[in-house]
Amino acid sequence: EKSEEDEPSKEDARNARLVSGIVEVLELGIELRETDGNSFSISYVQRRLGYGYQKAARLVDMVKDLGYIGQSERDPKKTVVTMTREELEEFKLSQQMGRKDDDIE
């Protein structure tokens, strides 16, 4: 039988969804920077990921707070995600390791 401790808490599930959303936004921003060269914005996230304004704004703000949104080197008027693909992979790994460490406790 499973105990309540075996099941993820609502907070754990919420945090996992939040990290997943941040990763989606980062992947989208990296793709945008590498292909289109268009400015990264909340409305772009809304259109591409189908999120409402509040969710898109919250995720973009979180990415900004992590320090991964800045000015484009090619066009300082444009906002871009500055994280590299390698940094994204490291971020995803660190999040997975954090969840595994929580499972051990």
Side-chain angles (χ1 to χ4, degrees), residues 27-41 44:
E27 287 173 338
L28 181 64
I30 291 168
E31 177 186 325
L32 175 67
R33 183 189 69 231
E34 292 176 348
T35 58
D36 298 343
N38 289 327
S39 195
F40 184 76
S41 66
Y44 183 79

Side-chain angles (χ1 to χ4, degrees), residues 81-104:
V81 169
T82 58
M83 179 181 261
T84 64
R85 289 199 179 277
E86 293 79 21
E87 289 171 329
L88 177 60
E89 291 308 313
E90 288 174 18
F91 177 79
K92 292 188 321 192
L93 270 176
S94 72
Q95 296 306 308
Q96 290 171 352
M97 294 302 291
R99 284 199 297 272
K100 288 178 184 172
D101 289 344
D102 290 344
D103 292 343
I104 293 170

Side-chain angles (χ1 to χ4, degrees), residues 26-86:
L26 287 167
E27 287 173 338
L28 181 64
I30 291 168
E31 177 186 325
L32 175 67
R33 183 189 69 231
E34 292 176 348
T35 58
D36 298 343
N38 289 327
S39 195
F40 184 76
S41 66
I42 293 168
S43 61
Y44 183 79
V45 172
Q46 284 181 271
R47 287 191 309 273
R48 288 291 306 272
L49 298 179
Y51 291 161
Y53 178 82
Q54 286 187 344
K55 182 174 184 176
R58 184 175 65 241
L59 290 170
V60 169
D61 284 346
M62 288 179 174
V63 170
K64 187 181 281 186
D65 290 345
L66 289 170
Y68 291 115
I69 293 183
Q71 300 309 118
S72 169
E73 291 178 9
R74 285 183 262 161
D75 184 351
K77 294 178 185 174
K78 292 185 179 182
T79 302
V80 296
V81 169
T82 58
M83 179 181 261
T84 64
R85 289 199 179 277
E86 293 79 21

Side-chain angles (χ1 to χ4, degrees), residues 3-18 99 102-103:
S3 70
E4 286 184 30
E5 289 181 16
D6 292 338
E7 296 181 25
S9 70
K10 288 181 181 180
E11 185 177 337
D12 289 342
R14 182 180 170 277
N15 288 340
R17 285 192 309 272
L18 194 57
R99 284 199 297 272
D102 290 344
D103 292 343

